[in-house]
Amino acid sequence: MTSQQRVRVVVIGGGMAAARLAQRLRPAGAGGGPALTVLGEEPHAPYNRVLLAEVLAGRYAAEVIALPAPHDGVRWLGGVRAVRIDRAARTVLCDDGQAVPYDRLVLATGSNPVLPPLRGLFPPGHDDLPDGVHPFRTLDDCTALAAAAARPGVRAVVIGGGLLGVSAARALAERGVSVLLAQQGEHLMERQLDAGAAALLRAHIEALGVEVHTECRVRGLRVEDGAVRGVELADGYVPDADVVVLACGVRPRTGLARAAGLPVGGGILVDDELRTADPRIHAIGDCAQHDGVVYGLAGAALEQADLLARVLSEEAARYRGTRALTRLTLTGPSPGPNSSAHPGPNRGPNSGAHPGASPGPNSGASPAPGSGASPGPDSGANPAPGSGPNPGAHDTPLDLAAFGTPSPRPGDDVIHLSDATRSAYRKVIVRGDRLVGGILLGDLGAVGTLARTWEADDPLPDAPLLHLLTTDRPTPDGGS
């Protein structure tokens, strides 16, 4: 097959989904693979977004989270933004004037951070965020936030108590920053945890020196001379703030698809072959909506990229959805060199703690840093425990795994074990012979069998479920 005959595949987006697709597709010179071009808006090489919180914490340098380089057959154009899709001419127009032709187009445009409607977020006459206000979505966001947090005596407010907000608060506390975490909902990580599990998580976060406010609505920002100086809470409390982190969720980037006339709901609508209404255009990752669901998770994005690589290689494959598992590890208090430098409200003797989050398998987020599902073994660097700063620290970690729904329906069976003295909490929800949800905090020795059962949507094993919550059975090769 000559180069003129090879299918031209163009991918818009240079994140984890695009990198995985480029990795999975055969090189153009090997077995007739497509001629692949990737248009990446960020100037950086692709990186593992799940580990951004580790970079913010100072545990890993930015280059550590880089993803494997695409093979030589990939034309990767970094720092290039697609501005329009001409479906009639099958061409992508870019901000640098290029017109890139395609035979098959893949939208992997990801998502944008949600900017809440706060007074002072965009002062009159200003289109940019005030100095000190940061989203936490990209490597550039992470670099800017780390630089701001490095100043002596910095006071930070994190708005949003989901997985992203918890990860950001932990990372900033690890840098010795005084941190207040404001969550509008009743408890932390409402999408993954119930109230009991969230109470244990809150206690752990507060032990790291983070001041946590739940059922707390942020009304606005105090801005002076273009820089944030404080945050106005609905109850009248106005904590000082030099740094504000917006961790209020993400919104799929669908503008290009919508402008091109493709159907859009919460995300870009795709079928079981991840194909849009235009048979030449596919969508994967955070921007895609399949069967009514926008996953916003790294694991789903990688699974979709794997399947689309098969579709583009003319194999029979259908996407049936992703059953994601959230994993997070927060290490315990470990006083660091700046532990006494930045005292803050309600900060105890461990105010300079060095908590750590080590997203394990199925930890990813692609919503966000530190959220979602597995980056997978080929997604990039997953540094070994102890490879960052303080490798010899003997912390008491809090391990967390959650899947499915945290709340049962009438008629569901619920098995629940809790031991607050050991920060242990285990709960699974069963409907018939299937798992529909689970929350595990503390020692995660039981997670293996439950995770495999959940992800495969298999009937529960014959062993009593209480037994599965207290131990795990080895796999045939001796693992667990």
Side-chain angles (χ1 to χ4, degrees):
M1 181 180 290
T2 66
S3 59
Q4 287 78 16
Q5 294 173 314
R6 291 192 186 106
V7 174
R8 298 167 300 181
V9 176
V10 175
V11 182
I12 300 178
M16 293 175 67
R20 180 63 160 249
L21 180 62
Q23 187 181 50
R24 288 290 188 257
L25 284 172
R26 295 191 304 273
L36 180 61
T37 300
V38 179
L39 307 175
E41 188 171 336
E42 293 187 63
H44 315 287
Y47 54 89
N48 188 341
R49 196 182 305 276
V50 173
L51 295 176
L52 281 177
E54 303 312 300
V55 176
L56 177 58
R59 287 180 170 263
Y60 307 133
E63 56 268 21
V64 173
I65 69 170
L67 296 174
H71 54 72
D72 292 340
V74 177
R75 181 186 177 211
W76 191 287
L77 303 179
V80 175
R81 182 169 60 89
V83 296
R84 187 164 71 88
I85 300 167
D86 186 335
R87 290 169 55 191
R90 296 206 298 272
T91 300
V92 178
L93 305 177
C94 303
D95 62 348
D96 62 357
Q98 290 188 75
V100 183
Y102 67 84
D103 298 307
R104 305 287 283 274
L105 179 63
V106 180
L107 302 178
T109 49
S111 55
N112 285 326
V114 171
L115 302 181
L118 302 178
R119 287 200 306 247
L121 189 61
F122 291 103
H126 294 270
D127 295 328
D128 298 324
L129 295 172
D131 290 344
V133 179
H134 301 268
F136 185 35
R137 181 64 182 162
T138 67
L139 185 56
D140 286 343
D141 294 338
C142 184
T143 301
L145 187 52
R151 301 195 307 266
V154 168
R155 299 154 300 183
V157 173
V158 177
I159 302 176
L163 187 52
L164 176 61
V166 169
S167 298
R170 183 276 307 172
L172 290 169
E174 184 159 350
R175 299 184 70 98
V177 174
S178 170
V179 183
L180 183 151
L181 176 60
Q183 160 71 335
Q184 183 169 328
E186 294 183 358
H187 58 75
L188 299 176
M189 291 180 59
E190 286 185 307
R191 291 184 60 184
Q192 294 89 10
L193 305 182
D194 63 7
L200 289 179
L201 174 63
R202 175 172 181 161
H204 188 88
I205 292 295
E206 289 178 335
L208 303 177
V210 176
E211 181 181 356
V212 178
H213 291 244
T214 53
E215 299 183 88
C216 171
R217 186 170 61 86
V218 177
R219 295 172 54 188
L221 306 180
R222 293 278 178 91
V223 178
E224 298 176 6
D225 298 324
V228 67
R229 293 289 181 259
V231 174
E232 301 175 357
L233 305 184
D235 62 4
Y237 181 38
V238 184
D240 294 334
D242 310 291
V243 170
V244 171
V245 182
L246 303 176
C248 305
V250 295
R251 182 174 291 115
R253 297 182 66 178
T254 60
L256 275 175
R258 191 185 300 275
L262 298 174
V264 172
I268 303 167
L269 303 183
V270 296
D271 62 15
D272 289 352
E273 291 186 325
L274 301 170
R275 198 186 313 268
T276 68
D278 185 328
R280 294 182 178 273
I281 302 179
H282 301 261
I284 58 174
D286 288 6
C287 68
Q289 177 177 332
H290 173 264
D291 197 20
V293 179
V294 177
Y295 287 93
L297 302 172
L302 300 179
E303 188 175 332
Q304 290 169 8
D306 289 349
L307 184 134
L308 183 57
R310 296 172 58 193
V311 170
L312 294 175
S313 300
E314 299 185 350
E315 298 180 30
R318 290 190 173 273
Y319 181 64
R320 301 301 189 188
T322 296
R323 295 173 66 81
L325 177 76
T326 298
R327 292 289 299 267
L328 180 68
T329 296
L330 299 175
T331 64
S334 170
N338 298 323
S339 60
S340 60
H342 313 299
N346 294 341
R347 291 171 66 85
N350 295 321
S351 61
H354 284 251
S358 299
N362 300 324
S363 66
S366 169
S371 67
S374 173
D378 299 319
S379 65
N382 275 299
S387 62
N390 301 324
H394 294 286
D395 301 350
T396 302
L398 180 69
D399 292 321
L400 181 155
F403 55 87
T405 176
S407 303
R409 293 180 184 172
D412 289 346
D413 292 319
V414 179
I415 296 87
H416 184 194
L417 299 175
S418 180
D419 184 350
T421 64
R422 300 173 58 192
S423 294
Y425 188 96
R426 300 180 182 187
K427 171 183 172 181
V428 293
I429 303 171
V430 179
R431 190 169 299 150
D433 63 351
R434 308 282 169 155
L435 284 175
V436 295
I439 302 169
L440 305 174
L441 274 75
D443 179 11
L444 297 189
V447 75
T449 298
L450 292 171
R452 289 188 292 272
T453 302
W454 159 256
E455 290 175 334
D457 195 20
D458 287 336
L460 285 167
D462 292 334
L465 199 56
L466 186 61
H467 176 70
L468 296 179
L469 282 179
T470 55
T471 187
D472 195 17
R473 297 187 298 178
T475 57
D477 63 359
S480 64

